Amino acid sequence: LAVGSSWQLQATGRYSDGTTRDLTSEATTSWTSGAPAIATVTATGLVTAVAPGSANILVRSGAISATAPVTVQSAP
């Protein structure tokens, strides 16, 4: 992402019976940036690039979690 730009992440639950469910905006889903000085994330998974560098975005839904790496570059 370039500094100042945003990207919407999506959390999808995949269940043992083969079904999937969008968990992005569920009340039990939380989003956290490991480096908010680099990239911030809202409660609905919208990532905004703040400064050049790398950050991991963590999403949790109940006992399950996943991370998404984000690389921020200077704006062109």
Side-chain angles (χ1 to χ4, degrees), residues 13-51:
R14 297 184 200 279
Y15 299 93
S16 58
D17 65 359
T19 61
T20 61
R21 181 171 160 191
D22 183 1
L23 302 173
T24 305
S25 299
E26 295 280 325
T28 58
T29 301
S30 65
W31 298 85
T32 308
S33 173
I38 304 296
T40 60
V41 63
T42 67
T44 58
L46 181 66
V47 176
T48 300
V50 177

Side-chain angles (χ1 to χ4, degrees), residues 7 9 11 24 34 45 47-48 56-57 69:
W7 186 263
L9 296 178
T24 305
V47 176
T48 300
N56 283 319
I57 305 299

